[in-house]
Amino acid sequence: MTAASRRLFLQIASASGASLGAGAAAAATPARPVLTPRRLRPGDTVGLVSPANATYEQEPITIAIESLRALGFQVKEGRHLRARRGQFGGTDTQRAEDLNAMFADDSVAGIFALTGGSGCTRIVDRLDYANIRRHPKFFGGFSDITCLLNAIQQQTGLVTFHGPVASSEWNPYSVANFRALVMDGQAALLRNPVDSTPAGLVPTEHRITTLRPGKATGRLVGGNLTVLAALAGSRYWPDFRGAILFLEDINEFIYRVDRTLSTLRLAGALDALAGVVLGQFTNCEPGDGYGTLTLDEVFEDYFGGLGVPVYRGAQFGHVKLKLTLPVGARVEMDADAGTLRCLAPVVSAA
């Protein structure tokens, strides 16, 4: 499909409400009206839950709590925050109960995941989405939390936040981006750090690569590639029509990245995107065997022919310096500049 025909296709589908792609038609439910959580303020109480992995040592939990307090919040621990079953932060029932309880608790202004890991797909069908819709509030994290961020947004319309978990390194860059969106309520410009004094002739860190130039607007959808693909075919699968897809991953051989992108393509997720933003694919290497495609080649194969803007290298994923990205909010991407701009505040003042 050419770029011109794709634009026409999107216009016709938008006017008629038609589904795009067999997989998308079968799985995605229509997007709900967008709900924005109240902005977080110093002095607010935030809930701390562990919906994925257990944290085996006490010090990371202590540091996470101290970090949230340093941001100005009071912290309320989930009842099962320190529980463990296998690698998980408690049983499926316990982890879901903690998240449901925090959304229902009117004394809690927002909710942070303690860490990522695995297991959120085990509890995504145990969340009380009607309760979440009645009590919209900030919920943030990344990695395996991708499952819950997209499911909550899809089922309730609530803007969720792909950003640091409580146990992340809250460095000045990560804090500034978080504050701008979630606490100050800015319609922020999201961009990589600017290296004004490179050690060599040109900057070598935090570089942006433009795969396809141009600008586009749409809802942000995405997160960790492997976790997002695990939702395919379920009622928690996002609606990708007219969306800006953002993706990252870690510790996956390139052939696995390729296979997982095939899942998105076969499920119809790539059929009618407005644009693509690729973050950090940390430690995604060739592995053993006869050789492999490069990530450059894989990304070109899947995104090069979509006829939409695409850029790579955005500062989100399994890295220390993290952007906070509002899942479900409308943004404008500029693939030449390597930026995302929120079209309106993504939190409410009330």
Side-chain angles (χ1 to χ4, degrees), residues 173 191-197 206:
Y173 176 83
R191 62 185 303 169
N192 283 14
V194 177
D195 187 355
S196 58
T197 56
H206 313 130

Side-chain angles (χ1 to χ4, degrees), residues 148-223:
L148 304 180
L149 299 177
N150 285 276
I152 290 172
Q153 208 292 310
Q154 177 67 15
Q155 291 291 308
T156 71
L158 178 64
V159 173
T160 55
F161 293 85
H162 184 280
V165 292
S167 61
S168 290
E169 178 182 301
W170 288 90
N171 51 69
Y173 176 83
S174 300
V175 169
N177 280 279
F178 173 83
R179 284 189 186 276
L181 263 70
V182 178
M183 300 183 72
D184 297 338
Q186 297 179 20
L189 180 69
L190 309 177
R191 62 185 303 169
N192 283 14
V194 177
D195 187 355
S196 58
T197 56
L201 293 175
V202 298
T204 58
E205 295 185 328
H206 313 130
R207 293 178 63 91
I208 291 294
T209 301
T210 302
L211 278 65
R212 288 294 181 275
K215 295 181 180 181
T217 60
R219 293 174 301 102
L220 267 180
V221 172

